[in-house]
Amino acid sequence: MTCASCVGRVERALRKVPGVHDAAVNLATESARIRYAPGGEIEAQLRRAVRKAGYEPRALQEQAQQQPSSWSGFAPVGLGLLLSAPLVLPMLADLLGRHWMLAPWLQFLLATPVQFILGARFYRAGWHALRAGTGNMDLLVAIGTSAGWGLSVWLWLTRESPHLYFEASAVVITLVLLGKWLEARAKRQTTAAIRALQALRPDTARVLQPSGEELELPLAEVLPGDLLVVRPGERVPADGTIEQGTTQVDESMLTGEPLPVAKEPGAALTAGSINGEARVVLRAVAVGGETVLARIIRLVEDAQAAKAPIQRLVDKVSAVFVPVVLAIATLTVAGWLLAGADAETALIAAVTVLVIACPCALGLATPAAIMAGTGVAARQGVLIKDAQALEIANRVDTVAFDKTGTLTVGRPRLVGFEPAGDEDEATLLAMAASLQAGSEHPLARAVLVHARERGLQIPPPDAVRAVPGRGTEGEVGARSFLIASLSWAAELGIDLDAWRQRLGHWEAEGATLSLLLERRTAGVLPVALMAFADEPKPEAAEALAALRARGLRLMMISGDNEAAAQAMASRLGLRPGEVMAQVLPGDKSAKVAQLRAGGHVVAMVGDGVNDAPALAAADVGLAMATGTDVAMHAAGITLMRGDVRLVAAALDISDRTVRKIRQNLFWAFVYNVAGIPLAALGYLSPVVAGAAMALSSVSVMANALLLKRWRALGTQDAGGPRSAPSQPAASR
């Protein structure tokens, strides 16, 4: 494909296939992403539709295996330059005040191979476009240069010492070929992020046999549950947990964090990361397409294949672009003839119009910027799932944060346990730990850890039931207990005034409070007060300050009581009006909707299952990859490490990418709006028009590639995939 018109033609052809719901074609990658109802021979029909539209369908895997060198495809360009150079020499001589011309027959011999051999691709593609009832850049080039070549032959045969235009047709074709070659080189750079991620997957793995022997197998034959040996310097072949060994692992490919991470038995390893100084044995949990690395690659590919909403305007323009240009060229001829000019002048002006009109830049403006932006973001630990999230993030004016695990470390500690009466503290703590034994809630884990640190015997519970957003209830032995939030305790009729002094002390410390209650014949009575403390992430205050510096409104949504939430907010540098306290997990999405109803474009940042509805309700959801898969699926952007500074980084790369898209589209439109009238009025020559046409698409690609220099705030460049200290066969 060569231009935006090609994109429209392929999309229309694919959408006509029965069963196809939608088709999106990417000019930068020359690929199509198709949503269709499976059944029948639909894949064969899709291939046939592409071929009927004038293109050759290739499998994506086949395309990925082709790794052309930097100079691949330069041979036709080099030959064109060699044949065109003698034709340009007389033009240069004119500038120096010396007038001479090559013999017409020599000009013909030099220009004809360029026109019909090197330029054959334009005739083929233009013919296919005509057969499909549309037009494209190739058709414009073929008609324009053929007119210049044909006019030169006619003048040569009918006039004495005529001025010929062989150099115009040959140079235009050569310049367009040069522009397409430079463009192809730039395209390879925009897809470098995907190729780098794909290169992280080793081809083989060492599977540990029951006999202790290490058997090297293709990665496709590794199954979940296999024990895999990873030697120092090798890449981890699958997601899994360490069974034996302690090591340092370079996970920069996944998180963008340049420092190695210590790993002990029980720790998770991710496919593609580099093992450090020790041999380890891991048990495979996810292999092949189910690994985190494979999912990251799919996310980046999806984002790069998607169309941003702004692309709709380009699609509308490209659908009518070529017919409009052909009409302008016809009017140009008619206008010059009516003005009294000769046919030669009129035809050259029309040729210049055809040559300078280029829908290439329009077609590349959006996908090139999206590919470069999402690629560099992935290197820095920011995964953008779709182009719509990328574009909307640019307009965000309010950022709402979940507190626990997002702004705080997410590992609260039990810092206070105060019995209400004379009953033994250890006994009551053991009861509380018993109720929390099956829970994954951070506060439940804090109770269990504290009880185990004290060496308490934790009795088994009965009939434990979680009450979402309120607490837990169940039986331990013959006694019935509840662990309740203060709001639930108030609903149950507990007199909190009697606890006011104690509550006030812990709330001033910023602690999260719960009550251990017991159901007795006299009703529900409090038996102990529990205070939990969490620490803000070290970089959280800096991250919030960076967002505030961007002019953004900040909000923290917390289930804590007002005093505890405000205490944590002050430690984070948040203001009193930037806190929503005592929000039940199920109500977070309503709070986000409330912010949006005020006319704000809202980004929600969270990490837990209970954040998923709020992430989906926001204009843009940003999920911490340290959290759950549910949160990541609900979010448009995934932050691959728990560094809150990546929120500002995600918004920044969105802003820069959208800015590049707008810059590209502006110059692509301005180029045609200014160039076509100048060409029609005779102020440009075909050679200058050809150079400008070639330059337009190359400049769009080059502008997009400037995004590769972007670095996330407060982080170092991970530098993409690192080379391992050694590269044994299994790791290559």
Side-chain angles (χ1 to χ4, degrees), residues 9 61 107 142 176 183 221 257 289 371 399 418 430 436 453 524 542 573 585 606 627 644 672 697:
R9 187 157 85 252
Q61 294 82 356
Q107 293 185 51
V176 174
E183 180 188 309
E221 296 181 21
E257 173 58 56
M371 291 175 66
V399 184
E418 302 180 8
Q436 305 285 36
E453 285 176 349
V524 179
E542 176 192 347
V644 194
N672 284 293
S697 56

Side-chain angles (χ1 to χ4, degrees), residues 435-461:
L435 282 187
Q436 305 285 36
S439 175
E440 290 298 317
H441 193 282
L443 299 185
R445 290 199 298 269
V447 174
L448 285 166
V449 167
H450 191 71
R452 286 168 182 159
E453 285 176 349
R454 293 186 55 175
L456 300 181
Q457 191 71 31
I458 302 174

Side-chain angles (χ1 to χ4, degrees), residues 65-146:
Q65 288 169 1
Q66 296 176 0
Q67 296 290 337
S69 67
S70 298
W71 291 93
S72 176
F74 185 75
V77 179
L79 183 57
L81 291 171
L82 201 63
L83 293 172
S84 302
L87 295 170
V88 177
L89 287 176
M91 296 174 59
L92 298 177
D94 280 346
L95 295 176
L96 298 174
R98 298 184 180 181
H99 304 288
W100 62 278
M101 287 183 61
L102 294 176
W105 64 268
L106 184 54
Q107 293 185 51
F108 174 82
L109 290 178
L110 290 169
T112 301
V114 176
Q115 182 70 43
F116 297 107
I117 298 177
L118 300 182
R121 54 173 284 180
F122 301 112
Y123 289 100
R124 285 194 298 267
W127 171 244
H128 287 308
L130 280 176
R131 287 182 59 189
T134 62
N136 59 5
M137 182 209 79
D138 301 288
L139 182 63
L140 297 179
V141 172
I143 293 175
T145 57
S146 296

Side-chain angles (χ1 to χ4, degrees), residues 327-396:
I328 292 173
T330 304
L331 290 173
T332 299
V333 171
W336 278 98
L337 292 176
L338 289 173
D342 56 31
E344 178 182 338
T345 302
L347 189 58
I348 288 301
V351 167
T352 308
V353 168
L354 293 173
V355 169
I356 201 167
C358 178
C360 302
L362 283 176
L364 290 168
T366 301
I370 287 175
M371 291 175 66
T374 55
V376 71
R379 286 166 60 97
Q380 301 288 318
V382 178
L383 290 184
I384 300 169
K385 287 171 60 175
D386 59 74
Q388 185 168 347
L390 180 74
E391 188 170 331
I392 294 175
N394 172 66
R395 306 197 307 270
V396 164

Side-chain angles (χ1 to χ4, degrees), residues 480-523:
S480 179
F481 290 98
L482 300 86
I483 294 179
S485 64
L486 296 186
S487 58
W488 191 23
E491 291 174 16
L492 294 171
I494 303 299
D495 182 11
L496 296 179
D497 289 337
W499 294 75
R500 188 55 56 198
Q501 185 175 355
R502 292 183 180 182
L503 294 176
H505 165 73
W506 287 113
E507 287 174 349
E509 296 289 325
T512 301
L513 301 174
S514 297
L515 288 174
L516 178 64
L517 310 174
E518 184 175 4
R519 292 188 188 275
R520 297 178 183 170
T521 53

Side-chain angles (χ1 to χ4, degrees), residues 658-683:
V658 171
R659 212 182 307 158
K660 288 297 180 190
I661 291 173
R662 289 173 179 165
Q663 289 171 3
N664 285 349
L665 288 176
F666 172 79
W667 288 113
F669 278 115
V670 165
Y671 162 82
N672 284 293
V673 169
I676 292 175
L678 289 173
L681 293 171
Y683 290 112

